[in-house]
Amino acid sequence: MSIEQRMHHVNASDARSFVEDVLIGNKVPKHNAIIVAKCLVEADLRGVDTHGMNRIPSYMARVREGVLDATASPTIRQITPAVAQVDGHNGFGFLAASTGMSAAIDMAKIIGIGLVSVKHSNHFGMSAWVVQQALDAGMMSLVFTNSSPALPVWGGKSKLMGVSPIACGAPAGDKGRAFIMDMAPSVAARGKIYKALRRGEKIPSDWALDKDGRRTDDPAKALEGVMLPMGGPKGSAIAIMMDVFSGVLSGSAFAGHVTNPYDPSRPADVGHFLIAIKPDLFMSVEDFKERMDYLYHRVIGSDKMAGIERIYFPGEIEDLNKDKRLKTGIPLVGAEVEALNKEAARVGAAPIRTSTPADKSRL
């Protein structure tokens, strides 16, 4: 194994401190840097490495080019007692989404439901962290966003829709697990192709087409072409739905005009759509959680198909990943560590602390 591909591990607290230092070095206010770092590292802990610390180089490139405002903080405008809109002011999407979900939660506590539209935002990483924010407040949630074009509409061949994730969640009791769904309308998330490219790996041939419309296992050729929607026209329709609720409704970019987060040429103008719902609107919260626990056990205890050892509830695998990585650390290959340390060196921050499998003393 080459030095670039050798695996290193990073303690979660060290990872958060490192990301905060790099962000602060790029003029992100400390309280904002703490939020962004927490969200990125949460993705790494849950095994969603495509949306974790490795996004820092592309985010910082956009900051340096002036197309992402590192100093911006979102503002909020109340529309009705149950509806608000957040303006991200071209700052980090994590900040806009966090502000939006906090507002939705506050409205839901009083009225039962809170709806927030977010405009002029940026990529906010893994949607599950927004869902978790609602879960931590005891709320159900729906989380939509749009994104840059990567997917053809069904029957087309050019990039038009984003691989925009649809996410939702519901709390559970002590005998089950919270429901967390976070999925893209493509066969695979585009971030997985960037990850494969960084690590020098192939991708499955059913993920994407190259620029000539042929299936490919080469991530570089896939990024020149298009992602494939899951379920054909069904995945295409979900991608369009994300654009309707996140882009059209909010007043942000839509219909293929959101800028790729890896493109430092112009602002992204991403839109989000967030809803928080009190789970005790129609029954006590205790009854709701008891019913969720029952659902959990019915799902994981259902009869298994041949070759399957265990059935998982949505979000459960990621929860188990987090449990493991809190103990063993977040895995990064050498090339990823080098890219992160290059960003740290630009602003005079300390390099990220790592250990190899032979040295776990810091974990």
Side-chain angles (χ1 to χ4, degrees):
M1 181 181 291
S2 68
I3 293 175
E4 290 78 10
Q5 300 306 115
R6 187 173 66 178
M7 196 62 70
H8 301 258
H9 290 81
V10 182
N11 177 279
S13 61
D14 287 340
R16 282 189 291 267
S17 295
F18 171 82
V19 175
E20 287 172 20
D21 288 347
V22 171
L23 291 169
I24 292 169
N26 281 277
K27 299 186 172 22
V28 178
K30 183 174 181 178
H31 60 280
N32 287 349
I34 290 171
I35 294 171
V36 176
K38 178 183 177 182
C39 297
L40 286 172
V41 174
E42 183 67 15
D44 284 313
L45 287 172
R46 290 178 65 81
V48 189
D49 308 294
T50 55
H51 290 59
M53 289 181 288
N54 282 309
R55 290 280 180 159
I56 284 293
S58 62
Y59 289 162
M60 296 306 98
R62 292 178 62 76
V63 168
R64 286 191 293 273
E65 291 297 321
V67 296
L68 192 164
D69 188 350
T71 66
S73 292
T75 56
I76 190 162
R77 179 169 66 98
Q78 200 71 34
I79 308 297
T80 76
V83 179
Q85 183 167 54
V86 168
D87 189 330
H89 298 295
N90 194 33
F92 285 96
F94 305 95
L95 307 176
S98 177
T99 298
M101 183 51 77
S102 291
I105 290 167
D106 288 343
M107 290 184 287
K109 287 178 179 177
I110 298 170
I111 298 174
I113 188 169
L115 185 158
V116 177
S117 177
V118 181
K119 64 180 179 179
H120 308 325
S121 186
N122 279 281
H123 186 260
F124 66 31
M126 172 190 72
S127 296
W129 74 260
V130 193
V131 173
Q132 188 63 55
Q133 183 179 348
L135 288 173
D136 290 344
M139 297 284 176
M140 303 173 70
S141 63
L142 289 169
V143 176
F144 297 174
T145 185
N146 67 355
S147 58
S148 58
L151 198 75
V153 294
W154 185 246
K157 67 176 184 178
S158 59
K159 295 178 182 178
L160 183 62
M161 293 294 110
V163 285
S164 314
I166 177 172
C168 57
D174 296 333
K175 298 179 181 178
R177 284 185 183 269
F179 171 76
I180 301 179
M181 185 192 80
D182 179 1
M183 62 178 226
S186 54
V187 175
R190 185 168 49 176
K192 289 185 178 180
I193 295 183
Y194 282 106
K195 176 183 175 182
L197 182 66
R198 286 194 308 271
R199 297 190 173 187
E201 299 170 350
K202 300 282 190 182
I203 61 171
S205 59
D206 62 347
W207 280 12
L209 304 178
D210 64 18
K211 63 181 180 180
D212 298 315
R214 293 189 294 260
R215 291 183 182 273
T216 181
D217 62 2
D218 184 332
K221 291 182 178 179
L223 291 170
E224 293 175 351
V226 293
M227 305 292 295
L228 288 172
M230 65 175 184
K234 296 178 181 179
S236 175
I238 291 173
I240 296 171
M241 179 181 76
M242 295 297 99
D243 220 20
V244 171
F245 282 86
S246 302
V248 176
L249 180 64
S250 70
S252 298
F254 67 103
H257 296 296
V258 174
T259 305
N260 189 311
Y262 291 94
D263 175 4
S265 66
R266 58 194 172 96
D269 199 19
V270 179
H272 317 309
F273 179 79
L274 314 171
I275 297 178
I277 306 166
K278 280 188 73 178
D280 59 350
L281 294 177
F282 311 111
M283 64 189 74
S284 70
V285 70
E286 291 77 19
D287 284 347
F288 177 87
K289 289 184 175 181
E290 184 176 327
R291 290 166 68 84
M292 285 298 298
D293 288 352
Y294 178 76
L295 174 62
Y296 169 76
H297 287 287
R298 286 283 286 173
V299 168
I300 67 167
S302 58
D303 295 337
K304 304 172 186 66
M305 65 183 290
I308 296 298
E309 294 184 2
R310 179 173 177 179
I311 293 173
Y312 295 91
F313 204 56
E316 185 171 13
I317 291 175
E318 291 80 3
D319 284 344
L320 295 173
N321 281 336
K322 182 174 180 179
D323 292 342
K324 178 181 177 181
R325 291 186 174 190
L326 283 171
K327 297 174 183 175
T328 64
I330 297 163
L332 296 171
V333 297
E336 292 168 332
V337 172
E338 183 180 350
L340 290 170
N341 284 338
K342 196 173 291 185
E343 291 301 326
R346 285 178 183 271
V347 295
I352 193 166
R353 296 180 63 195
T354 67
S355 68
T356 62
D359 174 23
K360 296 291 184 68
S361 61
R362 284 194 291 263
L363 301 176

